Amino acid sequence: DTTGGGPAADADPVNPAAAPVARQAFRRMIPPGPVRSRDLDGAGAHTPRHFQIHRPRIGYPQAVFTGFPGAFDHLAAIGRANQGRPPAAWVVPDMPDPDADLLEIRVLVQAPRFDPAGGDAGFTLLYRTTRAFPALVDPAAPAVLDLTLDWVDCARLSDIAWPMDGGLPGAGPVVVPRGRNVRVLVRALGRADPGYFGSEAARLGSPGELWPGTVTVPLSPEPPLFAPTTDQERLASVFLQPEVPRAAETAVAAAQPGATKLMVTRLAAATGLVAEDGTLYGVPGRRTVFGCAGLKHHLAPDGGALTLTSPVELEQVWLNLVRLRLDRDWSWTGLSSPAVTVSR
């Protein structure tokens, strides 16, 4: 302090002014640090279930500014103890962050490739919930939250009433779906006190993963794969007549550009699909995956479109369409490739 201490708070100003004293709100602008997690099942466990989550740490002088009782004495004791140790054995003077009262938990599932709903690496948020850290009463005591994951079976994600984020901390195990590529992200949250934190961003800690990468726990047991359908729904056989009667064919008629693409349009109309420029799609609002054998074709990388590259092959042959309705949502990953084989 270059002023040698400065004037006392109750001293009269030497130079009077209209407003010689101003108030400045003291708010926290530094967000909580990352939480530390420990997998109690072991890093190689196929089904991780039990974790210990530690409050983020906060050091000097930030810990003193939190106003937590005994914070300064605790950090000073660590500093004095370090004086008798070699530098390699020094202990970081810090303590659990008393302002990080909550743990935010986000459960993400991986969507198919090219899905616009997928974010980072194709993952989309399933739900968000929070858990309260145990109350911090001693800066030297560990502040640990025991977190349990409950892996549940569900053919479709819509079959489960996932927790709703109502603003209050939840309780009990965190529900996680089986049969999906899952990530669980956690981070500390500061208490909801706008007068204490300088911004909403200052309340949000650094996100981290409960485990590296993704985990997939198979459904047990696997329910029936396909939804019940009638025989008429499962198999459609179409016989397309030529676009131009054989007796009336001429060189001019045969050379009309795009004439053969009409065959694809007729096939789509007969089978409840959508045709555009010689390519078949599913109806809007329903995700469709195609497979094809016996016809020259090209499949989109995600299987969502089928282009028949030689539409003349569609004339005067029986075209058999097998239609199966998958009783799963599109985050399900229970099959390898090839997933389904259709045989006579």
Side-chain angles (χ1 to χ4, degrees), residues 21 34 51 87 98 124 128 132 138-139 153 169 171 183 207 214 219 239 253 257 296 304 330 333:
V21 178
F51 295 85
T124 183
R128 172 192 179 275
D138 184 352
D153 292 323
R183 295 173 65 190
T214 63
L219 294 175
F239 190 89
K296 297 182 179 67
W330 287 93
T333 58

Side-chain angles (χ1 to χ4, degrees), residues 313-331:
E313 295 180 330
L314 305 179
E315 291 186 6
Q316 293 185 312
V317 294
W318 281 105
L319 304 171
N320 300 307
L321 283 80
V322 178
R323 294 177 291 195
L324 302 173
R325 191 167 60 196
L326 193 66
D327 194 19
R328 299 290 188 274
D329 64 85
W330 287 93
S331 66

Side-chain angles (χ1 to χ4, degrees), residues 160-189:
I160 302 293
W162 303 104
M164 299 293 292
D165 182 16
L168 297 176
V174 175
V175 182
V176 185
R178 291 174 177 261
R180 279 88 181 164
N181 293 334
V182 176
R183 295 173 65 190
V184 178
L185 303 182
V186 293
R187 66 177 174 183
L189 296 180

Side-chain angles (χ1 to χ4, degrees), residues 256-291:
Q256 288 179 351
T260 55
K261 293 181 180 179
L262 180 60
M263 301 294 291
V264 180
T265 303
R266 292 167 57 193
L267 176 62
T271 55
L273 298 173
V274 176
E276 181 179 346
D277 198 24
T279 299
L280 293 173
Y281 302 90
V283 296
R286 178 181 299 171
R287 180 168 282 158
T288 303
V289 174
F290 290 92

